[in-house]
């Protein structure tokens, strides 16, 4: 393991992952003020995916949820695979050049939401019975009461509640990487895929 | 400003136990979920909450338990008891009907989550993150991974203050959050400075770490390792073995 972390990530990337985890955790402090119906808990994960690649993005997501599980709620740890998918997909999309323009970033947000839905739905159904105690449970309840199956109710809810969040997150990251000074980004080779 | 950690220092046996031993106990708790009937899971939750009061951390543990568990428990009982269509649905009152099967399923899910939540909160309230990381270092965790786990825990409060300061500064400059477009603009005004500062911070930290050659050796030396005894090490092995056995039996017997 020692050699693997040394080989996989430079110290600069390790430091980036560490601060990105904190950005994820304090992201909802920002949302307390703007009161948008979004989570804002993966700006750091997507940012690392764009700057340092899918593996670093996935590690950022994993550790964010493990740390949240440790200090806030173990429920967060159960959704760690979802956070991994967000980071990996953001990194892969960036590598494929889908962070060059604002509309590509928006499409990337939709793709991230679709990918995380595939992972989040089984966790939400088999571990939590489809509900987690969040506001989105009202949508699951409504869809179930109008005849949707539990699976489709949860899938539609997860995708619907995440798509706006991930599009906004991807657009914020796109705006960020465009205006960051060269001295802060010069060491992140993966960023070349997202330069217009 | 929000307080993230619920850790409370103390001198109880649970406080003094090695964090890895407590992690092994949590593993056993998770394995028990495979075999415990739902009344047992609820009884276990109550026992753990009562133990928290015995350790004089009951207030903080119960508050966090209620904040986290209540919304989930309400949602799971309403959803599976009253909303999901099941064959045994019976009229309750007015247009409402309930399902005994659904309520039982909700009790199973609620008991599992409740037990894990109570156990995890007891662990978090009696284990300082730094002690956990030191015990992982002693167990041979590489310095890079150790840094990734420790650094965010140490930075959270600083960044929370920073986010609050940026918010106050932008509000003082006249940032508005009345309409949707105002809010989206405000989001950018708040997120961009926070992330830019964070990236500058990351660069500075990597320079300092490289200057100290912190990855020169595959393992970190721990100056003050958490107490550990031969008895605890044996206990950890037993806890892990029993956990594996329980999960294996549960899967084998279906």
């Amino acid at each position: 393991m020692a050699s693997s972390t040394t080989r996989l990530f430079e110290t600069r990337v390790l430091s980036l992952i560490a601060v990105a985890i904190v950005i994820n955790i304090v992201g909802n402090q920002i949302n307390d003020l703007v009161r948008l119906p979004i989570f804002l808990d993966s700006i750091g994960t997507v940012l690392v995916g764009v700057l340092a690649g899918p593996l670093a993005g996935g590690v950022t997501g994993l550790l964010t949820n493990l740390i949240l599980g440790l200090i806030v709620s173990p429920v967060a740890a159960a959704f760690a695979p979802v956070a991994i998918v967000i980071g990996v997909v953001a990194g892969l999309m960036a590598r494929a050049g889908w962070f060059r323009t604002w509309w590509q970033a928006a499409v990337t947000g939709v793709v991230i939401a679709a990918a995380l839905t595939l992972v989040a739905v089984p966790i939400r159904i088999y571990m939590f019975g489809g509900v987690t105690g969040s506001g989105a449970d009202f949508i699951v309840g409504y869809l179930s009461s109008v005849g949707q199956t539990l699976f489709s109710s949860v899938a539609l809810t997860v995708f619907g509640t995440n798509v706006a969040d991930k599009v906004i997150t991807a657009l914020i990251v796109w705006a960020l990487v465009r205006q960051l000074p060269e001295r802060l980004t010069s060491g992140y080779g993966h960023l070349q895929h997202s330069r217009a | 400003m929000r307080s993230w950690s619920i850790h409370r220092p103390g001198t109880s046996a649970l406080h003094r136990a090695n964090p890895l031993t407590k992690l092994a106990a949590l593993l056993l708790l998770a394995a028990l979920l495979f075999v415990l009937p739902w009344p047992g899971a609820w009884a276990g939750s109550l026992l753990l909450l009562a133990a928290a009061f015995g350790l004089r951390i009951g207030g903080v543990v119960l508050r966090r338990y209620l904040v986290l568990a209540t919304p989930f428990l309400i949602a799971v009982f309403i959803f599976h008891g009253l909303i999901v269509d099941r064959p045994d649905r019976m009229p309750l009152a007015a247009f409402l009907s309930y399902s005994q099967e659904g309520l039982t399923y909700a009790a199973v899910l609620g008991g599992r989550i409740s037990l894990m939540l109570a156990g995890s909160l007891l662990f978090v309230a009696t284990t300082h993150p730094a002690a956990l990381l030191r015990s992982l270092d002693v167990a041979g965790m590489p310095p890079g991974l150790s840094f990734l786990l420790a650094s965010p825990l140490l930075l959270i409060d600083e960044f929370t203050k920073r986010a609050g300061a940026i918010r106050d500064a932008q509000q003082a400059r006249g940032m508005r959050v009345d309409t949707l477009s105002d809010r989206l603009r405000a989001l950018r005004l708040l997120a961009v400075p926070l992330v830019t500062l964070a990236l500058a911070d990351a660069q500075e930290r990597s320079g300092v770490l490289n200057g100290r050659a912190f990855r020169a050796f595959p393992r970190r030396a721990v100056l003050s390792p958490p107490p550990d005894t031969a008895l605890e090490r044996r206990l950890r092995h037993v806890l892990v073995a029993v956990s594996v056995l329980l999960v294996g039996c549960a899967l084998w017997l279906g």
Side-chain angles (χ1 to χ4, degrees), chain A residues 2 5-6 9 11 14-16 22 25-26 32-35 40 70-72 129 131 133 137 179-180 183, chain B residues 2 4 64 68 71-72 75 79-80 113 124 142 159-160 167 171 175 183 187 192 199 202-203 206 210 215:
Chain A
T5 49
T6 305
F9 301 129
T11 306
L14 284 183
S15 299
L16 173 69
V22 184
I25 293 173
V26 302
D32 284 348
L33 178 68
V34 296
R35 297 191 307 274
L40 278 190
L70 194 65
I71 62 171
V72 180
V131 291
D137 295 344
Q179 65 185 73
L180 284 173
R183 67 184 171 79
Chain B
R2 179 178 302 176
W4 292 98
R64 184 63 68 89
L68 295 173
F72 171 73
F79 184 66
H80 286 286
I113 298 298
V124 173
F159 271 65
T160 303
R167 182 191 58 198
Q171 277 181 317
M175 182 183 69
R183 290 179 192 183
L187 188 58
V192 169
L199 286 175
Q203 195 173 48
S206 69
N210 278 332
R215 292 160 105 183

Side-chain angles (χ1 to χ4, degrees), chain B residues 20-250:
Chain B
L20 295 182
T21 309
K22 289 185 263 187
L23 269 184
L26 264 186
L27 183 70
L28 178 66
L29 206 60
L32 278 172
L33 298 179
F34 284 82
V35 292
L36 267 183
W38 66 264
W42 282 103
S45 310
L46 289 176
L47 271 176
L48 290 174
L49 291 173
F53 278 96
L55 298 170
R56 299 182 180 199
I57 50 172
V60 68
V61 169
L62 185 65
R63 266 196 301 279
R64 184 63 68 89
Y65 172 87
L66 290 175
V67 165
L68 295 173
T70 308
F72 171 73
L73 294 175
I74 291 173
V76 82
F77 275 97
I78 290 178
F79 184 66
H80 286 286
L82 305 178
I83 293 177
V84 174
D85 198 18
R86 293 177 195 271
D88 67 334
R89 189 162 282 281
M90 302 281 285
L92 181 66
F95 58 90
L96 290 176
S97 58
Y98 77 100
S99 156
Q100 188 61 47
E101 191 186 320
L103 288 173
T104 307
Y105 182 56
V108 171
L109 289 171
R112 283 181 193 165
I113 298 298
S114 175
L115 184 61
M116 273 319 290
L117 194 55
S120 308
L121 292 176
L122 209 52
F123 170 78
V124 173
T126 58
T127 311
H128 194 281
L132 173 63
L133 290 164
R134 285 203 309 274
S135 62
L136 290 170
D137 279 336
V138 172
M141 187 166 61
L145 194 55
S146 178
F147 171 78
L148 283 181
L149 285 169
S151 191
L153 289 170
L154 300 172
L155 288 171
I156 287 172
D157 285 337
E158 185 189 326
F159 271 65
T160 303
K161 282 183 194 150
R162 209 180 270 185
I166 292 169
R167 182 191 58 198
D168 294 344
Q170 301 293 38
Q171 277 181 317
R173 290 186 186 110
M175 182 183 69
R176 298 172 67 86
V177 287
D178 300 327
T179 63
L180 181 64
S181 61
D182 282 346
R183 290 179 192 183
L184 288 170
R185 200 173 302 118
L187 188 58
R188 189 168 155 270
L189 291 173
L190 295 167
V192 169
L194 181 69
V195 177
T196 307
L197 279 171
L199 286 175
D201 198 280
Q203 195 173 48
E204 194 180 323
R205 279 170 196 278
S206 69
V208 170
L209 288 169
N210 278 332
R212 290 176 184 170
F214 93 116
R215 292 160 105 183
F217 295 97
R219 287 188 182 190
R220 281 173 16 140
V222 182
L223 291 177
S224 54
D228 200 9
T229 60
L231 181 68
E232 273 200 68
R233 281 193 288 276
R234 275 198 292 274
L235 178 63
R236 285 201 289 274
H237 291 139
V238 171
L239 288 170
V240 172
V242 173
S243 305
V244 172
L245 201 65
L246 281 175
V247 174
C249 286

